[in-house]
Amino acid sequence: MMRKAISSNEITPESVFLKRRQVLQAAMALGAGSLVGCSVDSAEADTPSAATTRALTSTGSTDFAGGENWTPEKLVTSYNNFYELGLDKGDPAKNADWLKTDGWTVEVGGACAKPGTFAVEDLVNFNALEERVYRLRCVEAWSMVVPWLGVPLGDMLKRFEPTSNAKYVRFDTVLDPDNLKGQRSSILQWPYTEGLRIDEAMHPLSFMAVGLYGKTLPAQNGAPLRLVMPWKYGYKSIKSIVKIEFVEEQPDTSWNLSAPHEYGFYSNVNPSVSHPRWSQARERRIDGNVLSAKIDTQMFNGYADEVASLYTGMDLSKSF
Ligand SMILES: Nc1nc2c(c(=O)[nH]1)N[C@H]1C(S)=C(S)[C@@H](COP(=O)(O)O)O[C@H]1N2
Ligand SMILES: [Mo]
């Protein structure tokens, strides 16, 4: 039987989680106060770096998470997956200054009438930012409720006037192995790359985020701009995007390339399609600390009324 290296949290989620849980339980037994911050101690998480944020204002806030408690900001910014900044959940906050965002530009091209290279401020109207509270569920069976700031992805993409050949959209993360030391490992193919079908990208729930909790994104959450796809597993929500391309063929995605039988192109949250090595039926909602109780996972992460029609006629156990 083929087995992958045991070095990745994504690939061995439960064992890593349980290890951490044992550490936390031991810490609790010793009376070590608050659990907030997981393996990152608060001093590390507060260290200023390229992650330095500035305040943002929004035109209004919409709750797309059914009134659920927000995951505390401290956990949203200290319990992360961002392999470019390290494999452990605490690494991205610790290594935030590996991500260099000065003079950031995004190249938009492919099947569109108005390609070009843009600064983030040209892509996103910072005077018209919406706050949207979405659930985001990691394939590792934990989830968060986060107030994101950004713009609907479809509104942003339409400005480049995609042509009828634009059947899919591909997104690439920055490639900078000199600074992003995680890119020196071969755990994934770099740059991290993701894709959406064009109708998924244009769906009104699809979101391009530039902030969270009223501030610009910290590095560990994907500064300066990242996707938020609330009905898909977290890894579809690609961080620190430098390239967007309208394409005719279904693009490769980093996780699909690394383990095709485990991570499909669609990656819709689906409690009835297990990951080959663990169930997706339940999840741990991180609402106060990483030991939060498990709850049932909902189809499309609870967004079925809005998005199920995108997949009419598809066999979602095959197109997983
Ligand atoms: N470039 C890049 N984007 C990424 C990842 C990554 O490793 N690299 N991890 C993904 C995964 S697995 C998840 S669960 C989410 C986590 O987002 P958060 O840290 O803001 O909660 O980011 C996604 N985007
Ligand atoms: Mo994830």
Side-chain angles (χ1 to χ4, degrees):
M1 206 175 82
M2 295 274 293
R3 292 206 59 179
K4 309 260 328 170
I6 315 264
S7 49
S8 148
N9 291 353
E10 190 85 36
I11 286 169
T12 55
E14 283 300 327
S15 59
V16 170
F17 183 78
L18 290 175
K19 215 169 58 194
R20 174 154 298 131
R21 188 163 130 179
Q22 282 153 13
V23 170
L24 286 164
Q25 278 166 349
M28 282 165 79
L30 292 169
S34 142
L35 290 173
V36 172
C38 325
S39 61
V40 182
D41 72 285
S42 38
E44 280 164 343
D46 286 342
T47 304
S49 63
T52 306
T53 56
R54 65 181 169 86
L56 292 173
T57 50
S58 59
T59 55
S61 182
T62 313
D63 175 22
F64 291 93
E68 285 190 66
N69 289 337
W70 297 1
T71 299
E73 180 181 358
K74 192 81 184 171
L75 282 169
V76 176
T77 60
S78 63
Y79 189 84
N80 301 100
N81 272 338
F82 195 172
Y83 279 13
E84 290 86 336
L85 300 179
L87 296 182
D88 249 349
K89 299 287 178 271
D91 287 344
K94 261 188 275 185
N95 300 326
D97 60 356
W98 293 359
L99 181 74
K100 310 297 177 196
T101 56
D102 287 352
W104 193 275
T105 57
V106 183
E107 187 189 334
V108 184
C112 63
K114 300 211 160 130
T117 299
F118 303 88
V120 177
E121 296 70 25
D122 300 329
L123 288 179
V124 177
N125 180 356
F126 279 75
N127 295 315
L129 293 180
E130 291 181 37
E131 181 175 76
R132 293 190 175 189
V133 183
Y134 280 139
R135 302 177 204 97
L136 191 70
R137 187 194 185 282
C138 182
V139 73
E140 294 170 83
W142 48 267
S143 57
M144 297 188 180
V145 176
V146 181
W148 301 100
L149 288 145
V151 297
L153 176 64
D155 291 352
M156 196 198 92
L157 293 179
K158 275 179 209 149
R159 295 176 19 206
F160 308 100
E161 300 181 13
T163 67
S164 59
N165 291 331
K167 306 275 196 267
Y168 296 87
V169 193
R170 206 188 84 196
F171 302 87
D172 289 348
T173 292
V174 65
L175 182 66
D176 181 15
D178 286 347
N179 291 304
L180 297 170
K181 295 182 190 155
Q183 291 179 338
R184 299 177 194 173
S185 123
S186 56
I187 190 127
L188 289 176
Q189 184 174 300
W190 311 107
Y192 193 103
T193 185
E194 261 304 338
L196 298 170
R197 222 171 51 194
I198 191 79
D199 58 337
E200 297 180 313
M202 294 297 175
H203 189 279
L205 286 182
S206 302
F207 205 55
M208 183 63 82
V210 294
L212 54 76
Y213 266 102
K215 285 166 248 174
T216 52
L217 289 172
Q220 59 268 35
N221 295 93
L225 81 169
R226 57 91 54 89
L227 276 188
V228 179
M229 296 300 296
W231 71 95
K232 293 180 180 278
Y233 291 118
Y235 60 88
K236 294 296 277 190
S237 293
I238 180 174
K239 296 177 172 179
S240 305
I241 296 165
V242 290
K243 191 169 176 197
I244 301 174
E245 202 175 0
F246 297 100
V247 293
E248 186 145 21
E249 305 294 330
Q250 181 178 301
D252 285 337
T253 67
S254 284
W255 282 105
N256 182 249
L257 288 171
S258 94
H261 58 295
E262 300 189 2
Y263 308 105
F265 175 80
Y266 284 94
S267 308
N268 291 317
V269 175
N270 188 341
S272 63
V273 174
S274 297
H275 184 280
R277 289 179 289 113
W278 65 89
S279 166
Q280 294 293 1
R282 290 167 69 72
E283 71 202 55
R284 204 171 288 281
R285 171 82 89 251
I286 301 178
D287 55 8
N289 64 66
V290 290
L291 303 183
S292 305
K294 279 204 169 185
I295 55 173
D296 287 343
T297 289
Q298 302 174 69
M299 187 66 199
F300 298 113
N301 205 22
Y303 299 99
D305 287 351
E306 292 88 348
V307 303
S309 64
L310 291 170
Y311 309 102
T312 308
M314 288 175 66
D315 178 347
L316 296 182
S317 64
K318 294 209 173 76
S319 299
F320 60 88

